[in-house]
């Protein structure tokens, strides 16, 4: 079986993005564009990937790591010159090479596999991936002969009126016979207004040699979108999110308003979960089955178990086990571990803490740097005081503890199991099991005091 290779063009500065961030690292649905491209290329089963890098090369390498080999294009001298930088890794190897741009995040592996198949079936030396565009202005046109064979690619500025009327466009993605590609690249010149070496010139060179040049028209034009500015970035993100949401719905997830729901590409959601409007799910979040993620909640890089209810709350780098609930207006910060059937009420913040099964944290409470056992009731306004101005300290609370409202627990402190803490207490010492802790001034009533004070008539 013939080998398959891929060259990913990712060296462009992306000046139209007007950004300090290297163009192909701009995110679409939570992932850099080039990450989406590499994902889809890998799914086609290629034997070798070479990514052409330029400005910002180290950042691209840091992101992709060992998923690709790399070649540096020190000067930006056109797409043909960019592909030529992969010569050291690929020259002389028999097989088919896919050339794809790193700013085309919507292309799918299904389309790329169909391109490979069409190329090999027709034994072509080059095959252009094309699309039908209702508004082709700005794209190169693919001009075919009467028998359907490709005659040439004409750029917009060079097209005659008849050629400009053609709606089949060049997407900038190609398959080539690998050996023929590098032989032809050696003949590409830069006699043009920009003084650059253009990859489409290879098509004409191969045609002049009598080689077969084909074209495969993809089913969905939207896949061909290249991102060159923020407008296109927003469009690509919108299309990607529509694709993601549709896939989740087909897998049994209910969306109240898909157009107002924002889900990153790596998020996983179980069947029969309901997602309300305004929800944002980021990173590598995993949500179980039969959950309700309420309106305007945001969850990032977290794991949510089955039958969890999240009501208008923020969760980041945290875990909620099955049958727990949170909100409204609460916040799980990093390293929060919420056990089964735990209730986190409204206006509660949890940070770097574990809360075991069946514990209730009703409202207006801060739990930071603490380990809480099972069956605890935490009253309103409780604060785990974890910071002394220089260092953080942990608190530990055992099973079956009742903490009254407006309690402060000054860490480091341990409250053993089966304890009551009186409302309004400030706990600075460990509390032994089976006890009641009261840490507040004794109430004193001054009888007749009202009559001793001056009053306005």
């Amino acid at each position: 079986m013939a080998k398959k290779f891929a060259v990913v063009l990712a060296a462009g500065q992306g000046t139209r993005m007007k950004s300090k961030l290297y163009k192909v690292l701009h995110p679409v649905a939570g992932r850099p564009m080039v990450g989406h491209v590499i994902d889809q290329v890998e799914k086609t089963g290629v034997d070798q990937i070479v990514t052409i890098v330029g400005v910002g090369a180290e950042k691209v390498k840091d992101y992709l790591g060992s998923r690709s080999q790399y070649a540096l294009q020190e000067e930006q001298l056109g797409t043909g010159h960019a592909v030529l930088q992969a010569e050291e890794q690929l020259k002389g190897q028999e097989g088919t090479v896919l050339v794809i741009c790193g700013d085309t995040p919507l292309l799918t592996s299904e389309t790329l596999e169909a391109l490979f198949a069409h190329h090999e079936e027709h034994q072509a030396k080059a095959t252009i991936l094309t699309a039908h565009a209702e508004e082709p202005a700005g794209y190169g046109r693919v001009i075919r002969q009467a028998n359907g064979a490709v005659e040439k690619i004409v750029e917009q500025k060079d097209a005659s009126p008849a050629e400009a009327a053609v709606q089949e466009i060049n997407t900038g993605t190609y398959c080539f016979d690998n050996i023929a590609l590098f032989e032809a690249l050696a003949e590409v010149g830069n006699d043009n207004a920009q003084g650059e070496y253009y990859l489409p010139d290879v098509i004409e060179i191969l045609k002049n040699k009598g080689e077969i040049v084909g074209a495969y028209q993809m089913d969905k034009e939207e896949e061909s979108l290249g991102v060159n500015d923020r407008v296109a970035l927003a469009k690509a993100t919108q299309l990607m999110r529509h694709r993601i949401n549709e896939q989740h719905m087909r897998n049994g997830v209910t969306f109240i308003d898909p157009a107002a729901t924002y889900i990153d590409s790596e998020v996983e959601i179980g069947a029969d979960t309901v997602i309300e409007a305004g929800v944002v799910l980021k990173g590598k979040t995993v949500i179980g089955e039969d959950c309700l993620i309420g309106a305007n909640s945001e969850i990032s890089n977290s794991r949510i178990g089955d039958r969890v209810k999240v009501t208008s709350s923020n969760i980041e780098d945290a875990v909620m086990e099955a049958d727990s609930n949170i909100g409204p207006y609460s916040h799980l910060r990093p390293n929060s571990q919420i056990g089964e059937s735990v209730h986190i009420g409204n206006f509660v913040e949890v940070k770097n803490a574990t809360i075991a099964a069946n514990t209730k944290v009703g409202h207006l409470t801060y739990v930071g740097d603490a380990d809480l056992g099972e069956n605890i009731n935490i009253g309103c306004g409780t604060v785990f005081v974890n910071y002394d101005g220089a260092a953080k300290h942990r608190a530990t609370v055992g099973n079956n503890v009742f903490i009254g409202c407006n309690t402060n627990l000054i860490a480091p402190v341990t409250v053993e199991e089966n304890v009551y803490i009186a409302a309004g207490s400030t706990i600075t010492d460990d509390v032994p099991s089976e006890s009641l802790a009261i840490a507040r001034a004794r109430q004193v009533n001054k009888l007749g005091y009202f009559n001793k004070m001056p009053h306005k008539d």
Side-chain angles (χ1 to χ4, degrees):
M1 185 175 180
K3 284 189 172 183
K4 296 194 293 187
F5 316 100
V7 174
V8 179
L9 304 183
Q13 172 70 44
T15 54
R16 282 182 281 174
M17 298 294 288
K18 293 182 170 60
S19 174
K20 295 181 289 296
L21 183 63
Y22 192 43
K23 182 173 76 167
V24 298
L25 294 179
H26 276 267
V28 171
R31 299 199 71 200
M33 288 189 282
V34 72
H36 288 291
V37 173
I38 295 290
D39 283 348
Q40 301 307 311
V41 169
E42 286 177 334
K43 289 179 182 179
T44 67
V46 296
D47 297 283
Q48 188 175 353
I49 300 173
V50 181
T51 300
I52 311 302
V53 294
V55 178
E58 292 307 314
K59 291 183 179 179
V60 176
K61 290 180 181 179
D62 288 345
Y63 171 66
L64 293 178
S66 61
R67 298 174 68 188
S68 174
Q69 298 176 4
Y70 303 93
L72 178 64
Q73 186 186 23
E74 294 183 359
E75 294 183 86
Q76 312 303 297
L77 300 177
T79 52
H81 180 259
V83 175
L84 194 59
Q85 307 314 300
E87 184 174 30
E88 181 178 339
Q89 288 100 329
L90 297 179
K91 187 177 181 180
Q93 296 195 65
E94 293 185 355
T96 299
V97 59
L98 170 72
V99 178
I100 186 171
C101 295
D103 61 1
T104 54
L106 298 172
L107 281 169
T108 64
S109 60
E110 292 80 8
T111 294
L112 299 179
E113 287 169 350
L115 175 63
F116 270 120
H118 187 278
H119 175 80
E120 293 166 3
E121 179 185 348
H122 291 82
Q123 299 182 327
K125 293 298 183 183
T127 303
I128 309 157
L129 181 62
T130 72
H132 176 84
E134 292 298 326
E135 298 180 5
Y139 291 94
R141 308 302 202 277
V142 177
I143 309 302
R144 293 181 184 259
Q145 298 171 352
N147 63 1
V150 173
E151 180 180 336
K152 59 182 176 180
I153 299 172
V154 180
E155 297 304 318
Q156 171 84 32
K157 62 182 181 299
D158 299 322
S160 68
E163 290 169 338
V166 172
Q167 293 182 298
E168 187 175 14
I169 62 170
N170 175 23
T171 68
T173 299
Y174 309 86
C175 274
F176 294 99
D177 175 272
N178 190 59
I179 292 175
L181 170 63
F182 286 100
E183 289 176 350
L185 282 172
E187 302 178 33
V188 172
N190 65 341
D191 185 17
N192 52 62
Q194 284 72 35
E196 295 184 349
Y197 300 86
Y198 295 134
L199 184 60
D201 289 353
V202 169
I203 301 299
E204 184 177 354
I205 291 169
L206 293 174
K207 286 286 295 181
N208 291 338
K209 292 182 177 181
E211 302 289 4
I212 298 174
V213 174
Y216 172 75
Q217 187 174 121
M218 66 172 66
D219 294 331
K220 297 180 180 180
E221 180 200 352
E222 68 180 41
E223 287 190 32
S224 67
L225 178 66
V227 176
N228 292 309
D229 58 24
R230 305 286 182 136
V231 176
L233 181 66
K235 181 65 174 177
T237 299
Q238 180 186 46
L239 291 168
M240 182 67 79
R241 292 200 186 283
H242 174 80
R243 181 188 295 176
I244 291 167
N245 291 358
E246 182 176 299
Q247 185 62 47
H248 284 300
M249 287 186 283
R250 295 192 184 282
N251 288 337
V253 179
T254 294
F255 286 77
I256 301 303
D257 186 355
T261 308
Y262 309 94
I263 300 180
D264 283 355
S265 60
E266 295 183 275
V267 171
E268 300 176 27
I269 309 174
D272 291 316
T273 284
V274 176
I275 310 292
E276 294 186 341
V279 168
V280 179
L281 304 179
K282 296 181 176 180
K284 296 185 177 181
T285 292
V286 177
I287 295 176
E289 298 183 352
D290 302 296
C291 295
L292 173 62
I293 311 301
N296 304 313
S297 294
E298 181 173 314
I299 305 174
S300 61
N301 296 308
S302 297
R303 180 171 62 82
I304 308 298
D306 296 338
R307 300 174 300 281
V308 169
K309 182 178 181 180
V310 178
T311 306
S312 301
S313 294
N314 283 21
I315 302 172
E316 51 181 322
D317 300 291
V319 173
M320 291 186 69
E321 300 290 357
D323 300 298
S324 58
N325 64 82
I326 183 172
Y329 314 121
S330 289
H331 187 186
L332 299 184
R333 292 169 58 192
N335 298 317
S336 297
Q337 306 279 327
I338 309 302
E340 292 187 5
S341 302
V342 167
H343 168 63
I344 305 291
N346 53 326
F347 300 102
V348 173
E349 180 177 346
V350 181
K351 187 269 295 182
N352 191 28
T354 60
I355 301 178
N358 299 305
T359 287
K360 295 178 174 58
V361 187
H363 33 232
L364 298 164
T365 290
Y366 172 66
V367 182
D369 299 293
D371 298 295
L372 278 60
E374 299 181 356
N375 302 307
I376 297 170
N377 187 90
I378 297 180
C380 177
T382 296
V383 176
F384 284 73
V385 184
N386 58 335
Y387 184 52
D388 63 7
K392 297 289 181 70
H393 302 279
R394 293 192 76 81
T396 301
V397 180
N399 299 334
N400 308 311
V401 169
F402 180 93
I403 299 177
C405 294
N406 197 33
T407 294
N408 297 310
L409 293 103
I410 313 297
V413 68
T414 297
V415 178
E416 296 184 3
E417 63 183 16
N418 304 320
V419 161
Y420 284 86
I421 297 178
S425 294
T426 295
I427 303 299
T428 58
D429 298 322
D430 292 350
V431 182
S433 62
E434 317 292 338
S435 60
L436 165 65
I438 305 174
R440 64 190 185 209
R442 183 178 295 277
Q443 180 174 328
V444 176
N445 295 329
K446 302 290 187 180
L447 300 178
Y449 186 79
F450 180 84
N451 296 322
K452 296 178 182 180
M453 299 301 293
H455 303 287
K456 292 183 180 180
D457 292 334

